[in-house]
Amino acid sequence: MYTFYLFSIIAYMITKKQSRVLDFVTDYKKKHKYAPSLEEIKRKFKLASVSTSHYYISKLQDAGFLNKEHNQPRAVSTVGAKQMIEIPILGAIAAGQPIEAIEISDETITIAKDEIGKQGKHYALRVQGSSMIDEGIFDGDIVVIRKQDVAENGQTVVAVIDDNEATLKKLYRENGKFRLQPANPTLFPIYRDEVEVRGVVVKIIRNLESQLDQGQSRDEKYVRKIDYSWDYRGEKTKSHTHGIHTYPAMFIPQVGRRLLETYSKEGDTICDIFCGSGSALVESRLIGRNAYGIDLNPLAIFLAKAKTTPINPQKLTKEYLALLDRVGKIKDSEIKHPDFKNIDFWFKDKVIVKLAKLKKAIREIKDESIQNFLMVAFSETVRYSSNTKTGEFKLVRVKGEKLEKHDPDVVGIFRKHAEKNIAGMTNFYKDAKKDSWTKIIYGDSSKDNGIKANSIDCIITSPPYGDSRTTVAYGQFSRLSAQWIDVFEDPNDASGVDNDLLGGRASKNLTHVLSSDYLKESLEKIAKQDEARARDVLSFNVGLNECLKQAYRILKPKKYFCLVVGNRLVKQVRIPTDFIIAELAEKIGFTCEDIIVRNIPGKRMPIKNSPTNIVGALEETMNKESIVVLRKN
Ligand SMILES: C[S@@+](CC[C@H](N)C(=O)[O-])C[C@H]1O[C@@H](n2cnc3c(N)ncnc32)[C@H](O)[C@@H]1O
């Protein structure tokens, strides 16, 4: 059982070891009337250094167990005992899109009674997702809720909508409707006529246990360096052709460019082995690098090609205007109703007709590059005019009145996107280096894709997070577009993409030969709770290891391989993918030269600064990502 202490609005759990240090300090003080020195704490707990003692003391101070007023040796003092109360953790709550029901668990937490107020009944929930980050509520936090069925404007509430979907949001009443407002600028509010309030948030509790444990066991092997200069907060990310189509987990162009400029030079040939929509390839072209891109999602290939093929903007505009002229003249009888599974579930009839006319008009364009480029705007139009919720990457259908009222202006949406995209292409055409080339390969990066051994000067990439079912579903995101724009011979094949991606098929069992202690430890922790999820994680890492081997094969000796990765949480276990990659890569023949941690833009800065030399002790790693810099030996 964890010990909890609460102060201000955020509270931190303390680990068993911290609890033992606290007991030692308390007993020592009783006996000697002064606190032990850091050296004494080091000796007592056989710690590596006095800085580790200091780390424990400062954690206990942060958690409010030790007073903070002095910073002198032996000057720590304990705080008085508090009356504690046990609160049930009823399960998980989505701080993102609503989830079906709150699942039941039998866990409890113990917290100080005076911190949550004397009145009312309380329960706690584990937070999933990142829609409340601007309120300081992060993925993995526990929120304590006071039960009540009314709330004041602006309070953060547990709300149940559409019968049985629960979500954590700020509640506002406006013009006779309720607005459930995410505290994350990248997400949209939810509007409802009716909302059932199940309570308001009174406390947020942050779990540092797992990170701390990792930190203690391995602080010599790798070091994460936090470097906020990589954040590029507030900078434009949609210049040139970068903004022509949404894609999950795209590179920030600035990060791609900085890596390219640091680890390659003009005229070099680079490769992005998980190129997605091609952000690194666009940057390569702009700064004079030749580039290969590899991806296993056909829509990604289509987008990457369109983004990196320069087109004369005058010719493009002429074709676009002619297309607008043609589309209005196409009669219903001239179009073929597309045929793929569930088309009527995802699109209204009249939307299908309008989309089919638009597609016919685009297909009539003779120049293939122009046709493909305008097809990108069409693909966005497909998504925006479908019956899906556009705020997310998974396919979720809108419901009820919203669905009934859904009447998209298909040609209007297309025009908006096409015109924005033409402006982007105008800049790309002007700035792209004329003598650089881009080659895009539809293939599996864990296999040989025909790129010669020792031929690449630099690899820059960002792999997927893990299995698509629980993280980003690239295939699912791409499905409707892919079906409409014919990137598959049989459009029904589009639903199989996610299974083929890294980690798409769980390993049969947990036996493996991967040499990574970090992976082993994560798998053990996850398997204790859920063996199937551990097999998913293993499958992803087995695939990733094969990709690292292929990367080693194609890279020239002494050259760099940079991976931008997220350390995701599975069953409350933070998987240190950056360290796992470093370990696996070093076995293959790379040296890990750097691990830089950056904040993911649009997400808040960490509430507290984290120690830079304690592995795994970073807070809120899903709001951050690591740039692992490897060098081939
Ligand atoms: C994080 S995304 C890359 C996004 C990209 N950096 C961008 O800016 O658009 C990861 C990509 O890996 C691809 N992928 C997953 N497994 C793959 C595999 N085995 N081989 C090649 N690509 C794969 C996915 O289709 C996805 O496009």
Short mmCIF file of all heavy atoms in Angstrom, two decimals, residues 164-193:
data_model
loop_
_atom_site.label_atom_id
_atom_site.label_comp_id
_atom_site.label_asym_id
_atom_site.label_seq_id
_atom_site.Cartn_x
_atom_site.Cartn_y
_atom_site.Cartn_z
N ASN A 164 -24.33 6.62 -20.92
CA ASN A 164 -23.38 5.89 -20.10
C ASN A 164 -21.93 6.22 -20.38
O ASN A 164 -21.05 5.41 -20.12
CB ASN A 164 -23.63 4.38 -20.31
CG ASN A 164 -23.11 3.58 -19.15
OD1 ASN A 164 -22.97 4.11 -18.05
ND2 ASN A 164 -22.76 2.33 -19.40
N GLU A 165 -21.65 7.39 -20.93
CA GLU A 165 -20.26 7.70 -21.25
C GLU A 165 -19.73 8.74 -20.26
O GLU A 165 -20.30 9.82 -20.13
CB GLU A 165 -20.15 8.22 -22.67
CG GLU A 165 -20.56 7.18 -23.68
CD GLU A 165 -20.05 7.50 -25.06
OE1 GLU A 165 -19.77 8.67 -25.32
OE2 GLU A 165 -19.94 6.55 -25.86
N ALA A 166 -18.66 8.37 -19.59
CA ALA A 166 -18.15 9.25 -18.54
C ALA A 166 -16.92 10.00 -19.02
O ALA A 166 -16.10 9.45 -19.76
CB ALA A 166 -17.79 8.42 -17.31
N THR A 167 -16.79 11.24 -18.62
CA THR A 167 -15.60 12.01 -18.99
C THR A 167 -15.31 13.06 -17.94
O THR A 167 -16.19 13.44 -17.16
CB THR A 167 -15.76 12.66 -20.39
OG1 THR A 167 -14.51 13.24 -20.77
CG2 THR A 167 -16.83 13.73 -20.41
N LEU A 168 -14.06 13.50 -17.92
CA LEU A 168 -13.63 14.52 -16.96
C LEU A 168 -13.43 15.82 -17.73
O LEU A 168 -12.60 15.88 -18.63
CB LEU A 168 -12.30 14.06 -16.36
CG LEU A 168 -11.80 14.75 -15.13
CD1 LEU A 168 -12.67 14.41 -13.94
CD2 LEU A 168 -10.37 14.30 -14.83
N LYS A 169 -14.20 16.84 -17.40
CA LYS A 169 -14.10 18.10 -18.17
C LYS A 169 -14.51 19.26 -17.27
O LYS A 169 -15.12 19.07 -16.22
CB LYS A 169 -15.08 18.08 -19.36
CG LYS A 169 -14.78 17.06 -20.43
CD LYS A 169 -13.74 17.56 -21.41
CE LYS A 169 -13.44 16.52 -22.46
NZ LYS A 169 -12.87 15.29 -21.96
N LYS A 170 -14.24 20.49 -17.75
CA LYS A 170 -14.77 21.66 -17.07
C LYS A 170 -16.18 21.90 -17.59
O LYS A 170 -16.41 21.79 -18.80
CB LYS A 170 -13.88 22.87 -17.36
CG LYS A 170 -12.61 22.85 -16.53
CD LYS A 170 -11.62 23.85 -17.02
CE LYS A 170 -11.85 25.21 -16.42
NZ LYS A 170 -11.45 25.27 -15.00
N LEU A 171 -17.09 22.22 -16.70
CA LEU A 171 -18.49 22.34 -17.10
C LEU A 171 -18.93 23.81 -17.15
O LEU A 171 -18.68 24.57 -16.21
CB LEU A 171 -19.37 21.60 -16.08
CG LEU A 171 -20.86 21.63 -16.36
CD1 LEU A 171 -21.22 20.64 -17.47
CD2 LEU A 171 -21.66 21.28 -15.11
N TYR A 172 -19.57 24.17 -18.24
CA TYR A 172 -20.13 25.52 -18.37
C TYR A 172 -21.56 25.41 -18.85
O TYR A 172 -21.86 24.56 -19.70
CB TYR A 172 -19.32 26.36 -19.39
CG TYR A 172 -17.91 26.63 -18.95
CD1 TYR A 172 -16.89 25.76 -19.31
CD2 TYR A 172 -17.61 27.73 -18.16
CE1 TYR A 172 -15.58 25.99 -18.89
CE2 TYR A 172 -16.30 27.97 -17.74
CZ TYR A 172 -15.30 27.10 -18.11
OH TYR A 172 -14.01 27.32 -17.70
N ARG A 173 -22.42 26.28 -18.35
CA ARG A 173 -23.79 26.34 -18.85
C ARG A 173 -23.90 27.58 -19.73
O ARG A 173 -23.57 28.68 -19.29
CB ARG A 173 -24.75 26.44 -17.66
CG ARG A 173 -26.10 25.94 -18.01
CD ARG A 173 -27.13 26.15 -16.92
NE ARG A 173 -28.41 26.00 -17.57
CZ ARG A 173 -29.07 24.87 -17.65
NH1 ARG A 173 -28.59 23.81 -17.08
NH2 ARG A 173 -30.22 24.80 -18.29
N GLU A 174 -24.33 27.40 -20.98
CA GLU A 174 -24.36 28.51 -21.93
C GLU A 174 -25.56 28.38 -22.84
O GLU A 174 -25.76 27.31 -23.43
CB GLU A 174 -23.13 28.45 -22.86
CG GLU A 174 -21.85 28.85 -22.25
CD GLU A 174 -20.69 28.57 -23.21
OE1 GLU A 174 -20.87 27.90 -24.24
OE2 GLU A 174 -19.62 29.04 -22.90
N ASN A 175 -26.32 29.42 -22.98
CA ASN A 175 -27.47 29.45 -23.89
C ASN A 175 -28.34 28.20 -23.78
O ASN A 175 -28.68 27.57 -24.78
CB ASN A 175 -27.02 29.58 -25.36
CG ASN A 175 -26.03 30.71 -25.51
OD1 ASN A 175 -26.16 31.73 -24.83
ND2 ASN A 175 -25.05 30.53 -26.38
N GLY A 176 -28.63 27.79 -22.57
CA GLY A 176 -29.51 26.63 -22.37
C GLY A 176 -28.85 25.30 -22.66
O GLY A 176 -29.49 24.26 -22.63
N LYS A 177 -27.55 25.30 -22.98
CA LYS A 177 -26.84 24.04 -23.24
C LYS A 177 -25.68 23.90 -22.26
O LYS A 177 -25.31 24.85 -21.59
CB LYS A 177 -26.24 24.06 -24.65
CG LYS A 177 -27.20 23.70 -25.75
CD LYS A 177 -26.45 23.57 -27.06
CE LYS A 177 -27.36 23.22 -28.19
NZ LYS A 177 -27.55 21.83 -28.42
N PHE A 178 -25.10 22.69 -22.21
CA PHE A 178 -23.91 22.50 -21.40
C PHE A 178 -22.71 22.37 -22.31
O PHE A 178 -22.77 21.69 -23.34
CB PHE A 178 -24.04 21.23 -20.55
CG PHE A 178 -25.10 21.34 -19.50
CD1 PHE A 178 -26.35 20.77 -19.70
CD2 PHE A 178 -24.85 22.03 -18.32
CE1 PHE A 178 -27.34 20.88 -18.75
CE2 PHE A 178 -25.84 22.15 -17.36
CZ PHE A 178 -27.09 21.57 -17.57
N ARG A 179 -21.64 23.04 -21.91
CA ARG A 179 -20.38 22.87 -22.65
C ARG A 179 -19.40 22.15 -21.74
O ARG A 179 -19.11 22.60 -20.63
CB ARG A 179 -19.82 24.24 -23.06
CG ARG A 179 -18.39 24.18 -23.60
CD ARG A 179 -18.02 25.44 -24.37
NE ARG A 179 -18.10 26.63 -23.56
CZ ARG A 179 -17.06 27.21 -22.94
NH1 ARG A 179 -15.85 26.69 -23.05
NH2 ARG A 179 -17.22 28.31 -22.22
N LEU A 180 -18.90 21.01 -22.22
CA LEU A 180 -17.87 20.28 -21.48
C LEU A 180 -16.54 20.63 -22.14
O LEU A 180 -16.28 20.25 -23.28
CB LEU A 180 -18.13 18.78 -21.55
CG LEU A 180 -19.36 18.34 -20.76
CD1 LEU A 180 -19.75 16.91 -21.10
CD2 LEU A 180 -19.12 18.46 -19.25
N GLN A 181 -15.76 21.39 -21.43
CA GLN A 181 -14.58 22.00 -22.03
C GLN A 181 -13.31 21.26 -21.64
O GLN A 181 -12.96 21.19 -20.47
CB GLN A 181 -14.50 23.47 -21.56
CG GLN A 181 -13.34 24.25 -22.12
CD GLN A 181 -13.44 24.44 -23.64
OE1 GLN A 181 -14.51 24.76 -24.18
NE2 GLN A 181 -12.34 24.20 -24.33
N PRO A 182 -12.58 20.71 -22.63
CA PRO A 182 -11.28 20.12 -22.29
C PRO A 182 -10.29 21.23 -21.93
O PRO A 182 -10.45 22.36 -22.40
CB PRO A 182 -10.82 19.45 -23.59
CG PRO A 182 -11.89 19.65 -24.59
CD PRO A 182 -12.86 20.65 -24.06
N ALA A 183 -9.34 20.94 -21.10
CA ALA A 183 -8.31 21.95 -20.78
C ALA A 183 -7.06 21.58 -21.57
O ALA A 183 -6.04 21.19 -21.02
CB ALA A 183 -8.05 21.98 -19.28
N ASN A 184 -7.19 21.63 -22.87
CA ASN A 184 -6.09 21.32 -23.77
C ASN A 184 -6.45 22.01 -25.09
O ASN A 184 -7.47 21.69 -25.70
CB ASN A 184 -5.99 19.80 -23.96
CG ASN A 184 -4.89 19.40 -24.95
OD1 ASN A 184 -4.57 20.16 -25.86
ND2 ASN A 184 -4.35 18.22 -24.78
N PRO A 185 -5.64 23.00 -25.49
CA PRO A 185 -6.01 23.82 -26.63
C PRO A 185 -6.18 23.04 -27.93
O PRO A 185 -6.76 23.54 -28.89
CB PRO A 185 -4.84 24.81 -26.75
CG PRO A 185 -3.74 24.23 -25.94
CD PRO A 185 -4.34 23.35 -24.92
N THR A 186 -5.69 21.80 -27.99
CA THR A 186 -5.79 21.07 -29.25
C THR A 186 -7.10 20.28 -29.36
O THR A 186 -7.34 19.63 -30.35
CB THR A 186 -4.61 20.08 -29.39
OG1 THR A 186 -4.69 19.16 -28.30
CG2 THR A 186 -3.28 20.77 -29.36
N LEU A 187 -7.93 20.33 -28.32
CA LEU A 187 -9.15 19.50 -28.36
C LEU A 187 -10.41 20.35 -28.37
O LEU A 187 -10.41 21.50 -27.91
CB LEU A 187 -9.17 18.55 -27.16
CG LEU A 187 -7.99 17.57 -27.13
CD1 LEU A 187 -7.98 16.80 -25.84
CD2 LEU A 187 -8.05 16.62 -28.31
N PHE A 188 -11.48 19.78 -28.85
CA PHE A 188 -12.73 20.51 -29.01
C PHE A 188 -13.66 20.30 -27.81
O PHE A 188 -13.66 19.23 -27.22
CB PHE A 188 -13.48 20.03 -30.26
CG PHE A 188 -12.67 20.19 -31.50
CD1 PHE A 188 -12.13 19.09 -32.14
CD2 PHE A 188 -12.43 21.45 -32.04
CE1 PHE A 188 -11.36 19.23 -33.29
CE2 PHE A 188 -11.68 21.60 -33.18
CZ PHE A 188 -11.14 20.49 -33.81
N PRO A 189 -14.49 21.30 -27.52
CA PRO A 189 -15.48 21.10 -26.45
C PRO A 189 -16.59 20.15 -26.91
O PRO A 189 -16.80 19.95 -28.10
CB PRO A 189 -16.03 22.51 -26.22
CG PRO A 189 -15.73 23.27 -27.45
CD PRO A 189 -14.54 22.64 -28.11
N ILE A 190 -17.31 19.60 -25.93
CA ILE A 190 -18.46 18.75 -26.24
C ILE A 190 -19.69 19.54 -25.78
O ILE A 190 -19.70 20.05 -24.66
CB ILE A 190 -18.37 17.42 -25.45
CG1 ILE A 190 -17.11 16.64 -25.86
CG2 ILE A 190 -19.62 16.57 -25.62
CD1 ILE A 190 -16.84 15.40 -24.98
N TYR A 191 -20.71 19.65 -26.61
CA TYR A 191 -21.94 20.35 -26.23
C TYR A 191 -23.06 19.33 -26.05
O TYR A 191 -23.20 18.41 -26.85
CB TYR A 191 -22.35 21.35 -27.32
CG TYR A 191 -21.41 22.53 -27.42
CD1 TYR A 191 -20.35 22.50 -28.32
CD2 TYR A 191 -21.59 23.66 -26.63
CE1 TYR A 191 -19.47 23.57 -28.41
CE2 TYR A 191 -20.71 24.73 -26.72
CZ TYR A 191 -19.65 24.68 -27.62
OH TYR A 191 -18.79 25.74 -27.70
N ARG A 192 -23.86 19.49 -25.01
CA ARG A 192 -25.00 18.60 -24.80
C ARG A 192 -26.16 19.41 -24.19
O ARG A 192 -25.95 20.39 -23.48
CB ARG A 192 -24.66 17.47 -23.82
CG ARG A 192 -23.78 16.38 -24.37
CD ARG A 192 -24.48 15.56 -25.45
NE ARG A 192 -23.64 14.50 -25.96
CZ ARG A 192 -22.67 14.64 -26.88
NH1 ARG A 192 -22.43 15.83 -27.41
NH2 ARG A 192 -21.97 13.60 -27.28
N ASP A 193 -27.39 18.93 -24.46
CA ASP A 193 -28.54 19.52 -23.79
C ASP A 193 -28.63 19.03 -22.35
O ASP A 193 -29.11 19.72 -21.47
CB ASP A 193 -29.83 19.15 -24.53
CG ASP A 193 -29.87 19.84 -25.89
OD1 ASP A 193 -29.27 20.92 -26.01
OD2 ASP A 193 -30.47 19.28 -26.82
#
